[in-house]
Amino acid sequence: MPLIMTQLLLKPGRERSLFRRHPWIFEGAVDHLEGRARPGDTVDVIAANGACLARAAWSPQSQIRARVWSFDPHEIVDDAFFKRRVAAAVERRLSMPQLAGQEGMRLLHGESDGLPGVIADRYGDTICLQLTAAGSDKWRKAIVGALVKATGVARIYERSDSDVRKLEGLEPVTGWVHGEAPDIPLSIDENGVRLGVDVVAGHKTGFYLDQRDNRLLTRALAKDKSVLNCFCYTGGFSLQALAGGAASVLSIDSSGPALAGARANMALNAANPLFETSRAEWLEGDVFEALRTFRKEGRTFDLIVLDPPKFAPSAAHAERAARAYKDINLHGFRLLNPGGYLLTYSCSGGIGLELFQKIVAGAAVDAGRDARILQRLSAGPDHPVALHFPEGEYLKGLLVQVD
Ligand code: SAH
């Protein structure tokens, strides 16, 4: 650590977002760098009046030019810093009664846990770690060490292959960074249902932990219902619906490997009579087309889940994404039996809750259905949203009932 830190000088007025404790410093806010810094190095952030406001990770290739590690200009960013931050985040989860007994849980949720660019999901005694920014990439060893110390897990797999790394000029990095590959496929118990998790080849870190509570809600609603689960991935919502006593569950995904995972999940739960394979139908196909086909065939459902991929990764894609959300919701509404439920989600950062609600309302009108929101939905408490970082709230959903 050099005695005199490199300084990032802000343009006049651009210190305001830091006073609100927002951790991102955009390209346009940077006046110049005094001294040298390599990607990921820690720099002091200096306001135009000379005040030191924060310590941040320098990321010269990204539009987010620096991400704040600490708003205390005296806090040293070293191994001990990561031990403190990681231990605090893990402790927050341990003290949340809602998470008690969960084998699958997000332990580190990036900026909202004070660790920009760090995602860590725990699956039993394995953690899948994803580093997405130049700063977090630089501190890999410290973060891995801190996770091992705070949790005692047997193994950690790094899955830093997300596209956002390209924006930081980072190459993909994957592999076991602590312990060795397990001999048997990984799986977790999620509220009584066993679900396989493929940390190496699955989506994200292997599984969509953020929908845990919403899958449980589906289970509570599913008894004796005919269920349609669109964008089912490995069948998380489908299996919870079966566990809730659904009469039938039809699940659609365009990915063959995802459906193979879903079938494997059915086999994992075969001892439970509710998981009779005759109740579950799996369809490999495009949801946009399938919804139209069902309409032509006169097929209807009591409960429909729409959990599509991120149609709008950023606000720039919002318009096209809005059309896609409208389309699936409109065609979903048309297939619902009277009194039926729609569980509809968007995980697009570029589409806020208000806009999403408007899109769903427009879809209901165009489908000629009267409907009401029974519940607004979000990711679970292991995906906290720091109050100063609204960008952290990416997943939003509505439980809607039609007349
Ligand atoms: N609901 C899931 C997560 C869904 S992720 C869970 O709880 O685990 C989104 C899924 O949509 C992915 O599995 C992807 O393969 C699938 N997908 C993307 N575009 C699709 C399309 N047009 N039709 C069907 N499936 C699609």
Side-chain angles (χ1 to χ4, degrees), residues 1 5-6 37-38 40-44 55-58 69 77 139:
M1 174 95 36
M5 296 281 281
T6 297
R38 285 159 304 171
D41 280 353
T42 305
V43 296
D44 279 338
R55 289 213 152 130
W58 175 241
W69 288 126
V77 179
W139 289 98

Side-chain angles (χ1 to χ4, degrees), residues 164-398:
V164 295
R165 279 175 69 92
K166 287 187 197 141
L167 305 174
E168 302 268 328
L170 297 168
E171 296 291 325
V173 177
T174 56
W176 294 95
V177 286
H178 172 72
E180 284 163 22
D183 334 323
I184 48 158
L186 272 179
S187 70
I188 53 165
D189 174 283
E190 185 187 83
N191 299 312
V193 172
R194 188 138 289 276
L195 297 164
V197 177
D198 184 350
V199 291
V200 177
H203 292 182
K204 304 220 285 186
T205 65
F207 191 58
Y208 291 87
L209 287 171
D210 51 1
Q211 290 283 28
R212 180 198 312 108
D213 293 355
N214 298 322
R215 286 190 284 262
L216 200 55
L217 171 64
T218 306
R219 167 158 144 189
L221 296 169
K223 184 141 186 59
D224 299 328
K225 300 273 195 302
S226 57
V227 174
L228 172 64
N229 180 15
C230 299
F231 310 97
C232 68
Y233 186 48
T234 53
F237 278 96
S238 314
L239 271 84
Q240 288 295 0
L242 289 168
S248 65
V249 181
L250 170 56
S251 311
I252 314 173
D253 202 282
S254 55
S255 154
L259 290 172
R263 289 205 178 84
N265 282 337
M266 288 294 284
L268 283 176
N269 294 277
N272 182 338
L274 289 168
F275 288 85
E276 227 182 276
T277 45
S278 62
R279 284 181 217 247
E281 195 185 332
W282 305 94
L283 192 67
E284 185 173 335
D286 175 50
V287 166
F288 292 84
E289 281 171 26
L291 294 175
R292 287 168 167 83
T293 306
F294 296 152
R295 166 87 166 158
K296 279 192 210 126
E297 294 171 352
R299 249 182 123 157
T300 59
F301 302 89
D302 302 320
L303 191 161
I304 298 179
V305 179
L306 295 174
D307 183 26
K310 209 188 286 176
F311 290 147
S314 76
H317 307 81
E319 208 179 302
R320 210 180 64 201
R323 278 199 294 278
Y325 286 117
K326 170 90 177 272
D327 189 87
I328 54 172
N329 281 280
L330 164 60
H331 289 92
F333 273 124
R334 286 194 169 141
L335 301 179
L336 278 173
N337 291 323
Y341 297 112
L342 179 68
L343 283 125
T344 181
Y345 300 94
S346 161
C347 60
S348 295
I351 304 260
L353 176 62
E354 210 181 324
L355 174 56
F356 185 58
Q357 191 173 315
K358 268 193 195 145
I359 294 168
V360 175
V365 169
D366 287 7
R369 302 301 293 262
D370 278 329
R372 53 197 48 74
I373 296 169
L374 303 185
Q375 247 177 287
R376 290 196 171 76
L377 309 167
S378 64
D382 50 338
H383 293 62
V385 181
L387 276 171
H388 52 262
F389 186 66
E391 291 87 345
E393 188 155 30
Y394 63 100
L395 180 66
K396 66 237 35 134
L398 299 169

Side-chain angles (χ1 to χ4, degrees), residues 106-111 113 115-122 127-132 136 143 147 157 159-160 204-205 383 394:
R106 176 153 294 188
L107 295 179
L108 304 176
H109 190 42
E111 279 77 351
D113 278 307
L115 290 165
V118 186
I119 297 295
D121 287 342
R122 180 173 190 160
I127 286 174
C128 189
L129 174 69
Q130 194 161 68
L131 305 174
T132 59
S136 60
I143 295 164
L147 276 167
Y157 185 75
R159 186 72 198 278
S160 300
K204 304 220 285 186
T205 65
H383 293 62
Y394 63 100

